[in-house]
Amino acid sequence: MSELFYTTPSHGDWNRALPIGNGKLGAMIFGEGTSEHFQLNEDSVWFGQKRNRNNPDALANLETIRRYIFEGKIEKAEELCKYALAGTPQSQHTYQTLGDVYFDYCGKLKEGIHFERKLDLSEAIHTSRILSKETGTLYTCETFASAPRNCIIAHFRSSTAGELDLAASLQRECFYETTAHTDDTLLIAGRLGGGEERFCCGMKFVTDGSELQGIGEHLVTRNASYVTVFLTAATTFRHADPEKEVRSVLDSASRISFDELRSEHIEEYASYYNRMHLSLDYDTSLDLLSTDERLSRMDESHPDNGLLMTYMDFGRYLLISSSRGDSLPANLQGIWNRDMSAPWGSKYTININTEMNYWPAVLCGLADCELPLFDHMLRMLPNGRQTAGEMYGCRGFAAHHNTDLWGDTAPQDIYIPATFWVMGGAWLCTHIWRHYTYTDDRKFLEKMYPLLKESVQFFMDFLVGKDGKLVTCPSVSPENTYIMKDGTKGCLSYGVTMDNEILHELFEHFRKAAEVLGENDTAFLTAARECEQKLPEIRIGKYGQIMEWQEDYEEAEPGHRHISHLWALHPAYQITPDGTPELCKAARITLQRRLESGGGHTGWSRAWILNMYARLWDGEHCYENLLALLKNSTLPNLFDNHPPFQIDGNFGAAAAMAEMLLQSNEERTIVLPALPKAWKKGEVQGLRGVHETTWDLAWNDGYLTSITVHAPKEKDLLLDVYYDGVKLEMPLRNGIPYHLSWKEV
């Protein structure tokens, strides 16, 4: 059942409200029964303005910091880093809520019965219904976020003619200065704070009511059968005159009938959503239960594959709703943030969280939803050049562990376990080649190649020699802390395992991209290759685990939420069960040690563990951790819980569910690599593999029954396909689908 369904209002609980979005605009719909409340977002509503936060004292102190680290004087190195490498000022700006709209039925609906609300994931429409206990009138509201019109559109109606009275107010906690209205339109506008960036938010009523007027900060209509409400917003990030843009959008959209707008919205949204479908056998009687009831009962004794299907669909829905077209990329909360000063600023945290947001994109046929991320990476490029040069005296592009609306690349916070890490831009750059391998889009690769090259260029300058290897210094293993032999705790280090794994990937991707595009700077290619060959390799420690640092330290937090040193297992393919069995064994031990010490306690961390077990071809541990994610780290509206809400776990889990069924890279495609026993029978259509291939799979009694592979007509491919230890060479010619019943093999 591709919907979220509830029989009780949210009672003001944001974690029970339901999200809609079109990439730029978002709303949390509370579904309050005898009233209504939308909390609104627009993706460019941020506090502040662009700044240069690069610490001017960084370069002069860099060599001293490195010397302290190599001499084991970690406390001195960390103290100096706080002064010399922290951003100035230390923090980037925060994403803000746009505001709230409150709807009141003006006394016409005093008490309701038979309330229900649902979010239809297949159409991206929220519907609430309530019956007036006094009059028997049915009140309905359908709401969606139209991408073609850049509007949130809500259609209120009553089953009895003339029984709908509706008042609505636009409110914002702070940072707005003016309110203006006509009889059918209300605008609020002002500066966003901390600079000169301005916004405007507007609401318009279209109704058959006998009265319609603007009063103060309200629009009011009476004696109506329906009211269509249009909401939109704009900022100076995109528009020189936000108010003019808002008026134009409202005027244009309101000239079209609701039915036409609804059909247009469904057609546009479905062009994304219908690309993939997962079907698992489940007890359909559970569809009579509300989503929160199903979530609360779910465990190994009460399986619910139907809810798992909905959860997968919800992950795809969220990505489509928060990242498409010319929107900004999905941030720490997608686009749904209720606060003026959000947790962690609701920025782009690029030491795992932003990257995880886009793990399901190419797998689930939503490669175009990843394009806003790449556009933002290009926005970061000039800033990253400045950071590389001013702070480190290096050529090329560098970014630390956060960025913001303006593509800031300087260090964020003064939090030693995370701040002094120069790998954020490099990790983002590994998405470039992955996207290309799935899409074969040469124009995309040409567009992104300068960024990829400049990331490599930075590390060619930044890496320093140590024991015959080239290492990062200073660095950290994101947010983790080690214990030295004398009991001293530290975070700063050199040649951190995750750094090496990312750099091996980055340099390899650059070599491949350079070959595709015919790079003719042979001196640069040679120097890059020499640098790559001096990177440290993965090492196994005293417990049989993957070592996280160059020294085999004890960990201050053995159950830490980050599992950075397994980056080579996932998202990379540097560790595989059949290619590197010893490292694979060590990776499994690393996961076991984390989990035995309480790891996976945040939603996104559990989602990463899910992906890692999928790469270990371990379906039972995948399923076990998927249930743990829903039971322990999922809110009533199915949002992922850090806590508080972060959207990355939703996306990470969707990616893991896809990878349990299909893993595809340049070398091979593996079918059903981590199918759990609980998914005994099912089928999936529309999973994506490399070279623009589309995969339809079916299985029964836990065994593959059929494969159908589609490729574009112009493709001539010979794919290596593996299932259950059997290799099959699969030719694809002239766009003809390749169909195989596995019994034939």
Side-chain angles (χ1 to χ4, degrees), residues 512-525:
K512 292 177 177 178
E515 183 177 355
V516 169
L517 298 178
E519 171 68 69
N520 55 18
D521 187 344
T522 56
F524 188 91
L525 292 171

PDB file of all heavy atoms in Angstrom, residues 512-525:
ATOM      1  N   LYS A 512      40.115   7.504 -14.764  1.00  0.00           N
ATOM      2  CA  LYS A 512      39.128   6.990 -15.711  1.00  0.00           C
ATOM      3  C   LYS A 512      38.432   8.115 -16.459  1.00  0.00           C
ATOM      4  O   LYS A 512      38.198   8.030 -17.672  1.00  0.00           O
ATOM      5  CB  LYS A 512      38.105   6.129 -14.966  1.00  0.00           C
ATOM      6  CG  LYS A 512      38.683   4.830 -14.425  1.00  0.00           C
ATOM      7  CD  LYS A 512      37.646   4.052 -13.625  1.00  0.00           C
ATOM      8  CE  LYS A 512      38.203   2.721 -13.147  1.00  0.00           C
ATOM      9  NZ  LYS A 512      37.225   1.959 -12.331  1.00  0.00           N
ATOM     10  N   ALA A 513      38.093   9.176 -15.740  1.00  0.00           N
ATOM     11  CA  ALA A 513      37.444  10.311 -16.390  1.00  0.00           C
ATOM     12  C   ALA A 513      38.385  10.976 -17.387  1.00  0.00           C
ATOM     13  O   ALA A 513      37.975  11.369 -18.487  1.00  0.00           O
ATOM     14  CB  ALA A 513      36.977  11.321 -15.343  1.00  0.00           C
ATOM     15  N   ALA A 514      39.652  11.095 -17.008  1.00  0.00           N
ATOM     16  CA  ALA A 514      40.640  11.695 -17.912  1.00  0.00           C
ATOM     17  C   ALA A 514      40.767  10.881 -19.193  1.00  0.00           C
ATOM     18  O   ALA A 514      40.903  11.439 -20.294  1.00  0.00           O
ATOM     19  CB  ALA A 514      41.990  11.799 -17.201  1.00  0.00           C
ATOM     20  N   GLU A 515      40.712   9.563 -19.064  1.00  0.00           N
ATOM     21  CA  GLU A 515      40.800   8.703 -20.248  1.00  0.00           C
ATOM     22  C   GLU A 515      39.582   8.872 -21.151  1.00  0.00           C
ATOM     23  O   GLU A 515      39.714   8.976 -22.370  1.00  0.00           O
ATOM     24  CB  GLU A 515      40.934   7.246 -19.821  1.00  0.00           C
ATOM     25  CG  GLU A 515      41.104   6.278 -20.977  1.00  0.00           C
ATOM     26  CD  GLU A 515      41.303   4.841 -20.520  1.00  0.00           C
ATOM     27  OE1 GLU A 515      41.410   4.612 -19.294  1.00  0.00           O
ATOM     28  OE2 GLU A 515      41.334   3.951 -21.392  1.00  0.00           O
ATOM     29  N   VAL A 516      38.404   8.920 -20.552  1.00  0.00           N
ATOM     30  CA  VAL A 516      37.175   9.091 -21.344  1.00  0.00           C
ATOM     31  C   VAL A 516      37.202  10.412 -22.103  1.00  0.00           C
ATOM     32  O   VAL A 516      36.827  10.490 -23.277  1.00  0.00           O
ATOM     33  CB  VAL A 516      35.934   9.019 -20.428  1.00  0.00           C
ATOM     34  CG1 VAL A 516      34.678   9.470 -21.179  1.00  0.00           C
ATOM     35  CG2 VAL A 516      35.752   7.611 -19.893  1.00  0.00           C
ATOM     36  N   LEU A 517      37.658  11.468 -21.441  1.00  0.00           N
ATOM     37  CA  LEU A 517      37.594  12.803 -22.022  1.00  0.00           C
ATOM     38  C   LEU A 517      38.854  13.185 -22.799  1.00  0.00           C
ATOM     39  O   LEU A 517      38.909  14.264 -23.394  1.00  0.00           O
ATOM     40  CB  LEU A 517      37.339  13.832 -20.921  1.00  0.00           C
ATOM     41  CG  LEU A 517      36.014  13.672 -20.157  1.00  0.00           C
ATOM     42  CD1 LEU A 517      35.892  14.722 -19.068  1.00  0.00           C
ATOM     43  CD2 LEU A 517      34.825  13.739 -21.105  1.00  0.00           C
ATOM     44  N   GLY A 518      39.847  12.312 -22.804  1.00  0.00           N
ATOM     45  CA  GLY A 518      41.053  12.581 -23.576  1.00  0.00           C
ATOM     46  C   GLY A 518      41.925  13.674 -22.990  1.00  0.00           C
ATOM     47  O   GLY A 518      42.457  14.514 -23.729  1.00  0.00           O
ATOM     48  N   GLU A 519      42.098  13.654 -21.681  1.00  0.00           N
ATOM     49  CA  GLU A 519      42.989  14.619 -21.020  1.00  0.00           C
ATOM     50  C   GLU A 519      44.377  14.552 -21.648  1.00  0.00           C
ATOM     51  O   GLU A 519      44.964  13.479 -21.795  1.00  0.00           O
ATOM     52  CB  GLU A 519      43.071  14.305 -19.526  1.00  0.00           C
ATOM     53  CG  GLU A 519      44.122  15.075 -18.748  1.00  0.00           C
ATOM     54  CD  GLU A 519      43.822  16.554 -18.643  1.00  0.00           C
ATOM     55  OE1 GLU A 519      42.859  16.905 -17.937  1.00  0.00           O
ATOM     56  OE2 GLU A 519      44.550  17.347 -19.288  1.00  0.00           O
ATOM     57  N   ASN A 520      44.926  15.716 -22.045  1.00  0.00           N
ATOM     58  CA  ASN A 520      46.224  15.727 -22.738  1.00  0.00           C
ATOM     59  C   ASN A 520      47.356  16.311 -21.900  1.00  0.00           C
ATOM     60  O   ASN A 520      48.473  16.466 -22.402  1.00  0.00           O
ATOM     61  CB  ASN A 520      46.111  16.484 -24.070  1.00  0.00           C
ATOM     62  CG  ASN A 520      45.574  17.891 -23.895  1.00  0.00           C
ATOM     63  OD1 ASN A 520      45.589  18.435 -22.791  1.00  0.00           O
ATOM     64  ND2 ASN A 520      45.090  18.477 -24.985  1.00  0.00           N
ATOM     65  N   ASP A 521      47.087  16.611 -20.633  1.00  0.00           N
ATOM     66  CA  ASP A 521      48.143  17.103 -19.750  1.00  0.00           C
ATOM     67  C   ASP A 521      48.854  15.889 -19.151  1.00  0.00           C
ATOM     68  O   ASP A 521      48.569  15.453 -18.037  1.00  0.00           O
ATOM     69  CB  ASP A 521      47.541  17.988 -18.660  1.00  0.00           C
ATOM     70  CG  ASP A 521      48.595  18.680 -17.806  1.00  0.00           C
ATOM     71  OD1 ASP A 521      49.771  18.257 -17.857  1.00  0.00           O
ATOM     72  OD2 ASP A 521      48.244  19.625 -17.075  1.00  0.00           O
ATOM     73  N   THR A 522      49.780  15.333 -19.898  1.00  0.00           N
ATOM     74  CA  THR A 522      50.433  14.088 -19.484  1.00  0.00           C
ATOM     75  C   THR A 522      51.272  14.271 -18.220  1.00  0.00           C
ATOM     76  O   THR A 522      51.382  13.344 -17.417  1.00  0.00           O
ATOM     77  CB  THR A 522      51.307  13.538 -20.616  1.00  0.00           C
ATOM     78  OG1 THR A 522      52.241  14.547 -21.017  1.00  0.00           O
ATOM     79  CG2 THR A 522      50.454  13.145 -21.818  1.00  0.00           C
ATOM     80  N   ALA A 523      51.855  15.444 -18.050  1.00  0.00           N
ATOM     81  CA  ALA A 523      52.659  15.687 -16.847  1.00  0.00           C
ATOM     82  C   ALA A 523      51.772  15.613 -15.600  1.00  0.00           C
ATOM     83  O   ALA A 523      52.162  15.023 -14.574  1.00  0.00           O
ATOM     84  CB  ALA A 523      53.346  17.039 -16.933  1.00  0.00           C
ATOM     85  N   PHE A 524      50.592  16.204 -15.683  1.00  0.00           N
ATOM     86  CA  PHE A 524      49.666  16.165 -14.545  1.00  0.00           C
ATOM     87  C   PHE A 524      49.201  14.729 -14.281  1.00  0.00           C
ATOM     88  O   PHE A 524      49.159  14.284 -13.133  1.00  0.00           O
ATOM     89  CB  PHE A 524      48.460  17.062 -14.816  1.00  0.00           C
ATOM     90  CG  PHE A 524      47.546  17.231 -13.632  1.00  0.00           C
ATOM     91  CD1 PHE A 524      47.715  18.271 -12.738  1.00  0.00           C
ATOM     92  CD2 PHE A 524      46.510  16.334 -13.399  1.00  0.00           C
ATOM     93  CE1 PHE A 524      46.875  18.415 -11.636  1.00  0.00           C
ATOM     94  CE2 PHE A 524      45.667  16.466 -12.313  1.00  0.00           C
ATOM     95  CZ  PHE A 524      45.854  17.514 -11.428  1.00  0.00           C
ATOM     96  N   LEU A 525      48.884  14.007 -15.345  1.00  0.00           N
ATOM     97  CA  LEU A 525      48.439  12.624 -15.193  1.00  0.00           C
ATOM     98  C   LEU A 525      49.513  11.761 -14.542  1.00  0.00           C
ATOM     99  O   LEU A 525      49.229  10.938 -13.667  1.00  0.00           O
ATOM    100  CB  LEU A 525      48.051  12.044 -16.555  1.00  0.00           C
ATOM    101  CG  LEU A 525      46.802  12.631 -17.218  1.00  0.00           C
ATOM    102  CD1 LEU A 525      46.681  12.101 -18.645  1.00  0.00           C
ATOM    103  CD2 LEU A 525      45.554  12.281 -16.428  1.00  0.00           C
TER     104      LEU A 525
END
